[in-house]
Amino acid sequence: MGRVSTTVDSGLTNAITAKYAQVRDPGIRAFLIEGEKFYPEHAISFTTAEQRAFYDLYCAHFRKPRPVGLAVEDFAVGPIPCRRYLPQQPTDPTVLYLHGGFVLGGLDSHDDVCAELAVGAETEVVAVQYRLAPEHPFPAALNDCWEVFGDLRNSGESVVLAGDSGGETLRQPSPSRPATVAWPASRARC
């Protein structure tokens, strides 16, 4: 994996800056420019492992520290790694957070997102490290999320599902998990 680097030459920096010149908000523009430094121009031609390494560096670079007073615990539901975020006085329901990515991402990439969600919503958040494609094709990720959802419900917890990008897709009913037996349709979407 010697090709993973965050060093950017000045010519490329100028090209990246020009690419986002039309973005009016200076904070968003700075974020886009900074984030682009973690991906080579032809990132899609790299191996899955290399692309995951780019993404992990990107997420680590932008990761914020966890809020003070937040308890965090790693645990597993069977073989599925999970992470629980508990604010000091959580209220119902528990948020089951499904990270985006399908091929990349996990507990660490979305750690600050889940931590901020737990504190901001004053509720317990459980994140799932579902199996990633292409090593684990569909419906492996869906099955992992479903397994954790079932475990939380079986323990008596009220559960709301949330996710970003691919995680939001996993939250939706599918042919293998029709709406009548899958995620509760009456629950709020985040």
Side-chain angles (χ1 to χ4, degrees):
M1 214 161 35
R3 298 192 290 177
V4 177
S5 172
T6 58
T7 304
V8 179
D9 66 46
S10 61
L12 185 55
T13 299
N14 292 338
I16 292 170
T17 302
K19 177 179 176 181
Y20 295 110
Q22 77 283 1
V23 177
R24 291 183 184 180
D25 184 283
I28 293 173
R29 185 174 48 251
F31 173 77
L32 292 170
I33 291 167
E34 186 71 17
E36 186 116 2
K37 295 176 184 175
F38 291 90
Y39 288 90
E41 186 177 349
H42 301 288
I44 196 72
S45 66
F46 287 78
T47 68
T48 301
E50 289 170 320
Q51 290 181 43
R52 288 175 180 158
F54 300 146
Y55 186 72
D56 290 344
L57 286 170
Y58 170 87
C59 292
H61 177 76
F62 288 109
R63 186 172 300 126
K64 295 180 182 177
R66 291 178 183 152
V68 175
L70 180 69
V72 178
E73 166 196 23
D74 287 344
F75 69 102
V77 173
I80 307 161
C82 298
R83 185 170 290 158
R84 184 181 316 273
Y85 300 83
L86 280 167
Q88 292 179 348
Q89 296 182 349
T91 59
D92 275 343
T94 295
V95 173
L96 179 60
Y97 189 85
L98 312 176
H99 71 82
F102 291 129
V103 175
L104 45 77
L107 298 178
D108 292 334
S109 65
H110 288 69
D111 185 72
D112 56 346
V113 172
C114 292
E116 289 180 31
L117 180 59
V119 171
E122 297 178 344
T123 191
E124 176 182 344
V125 173
V126 173
V128 181
Q129 173 56 67
Y130 57 78
R131 290 173 288 170
L132 300 175
E135 299 91 338
H136 304 282
F138 184 83
L142 180 64
N143 290 342
D144 290 352
C145 297
W146 180 253
E147 184 70 25
V148 176
F149 173 79
D151 186 73
L152 293 172
R153 294 288 292 161
N154 289 339
S155 68
E157 294 188 48
S158 175
V159 182
V160 171
L161 296 145
D164 68 286
S165 192
E168 173 61 13
T169 301
L170 290 170
R171 197 200 69 74
Q172 298 297 322
S174 71
S176 64
R177 304 268 191 241
T180 55
V181 296
W183 314 122
S186 62
R187 297 289 184 195
R189 288 177 43 174
C190 296

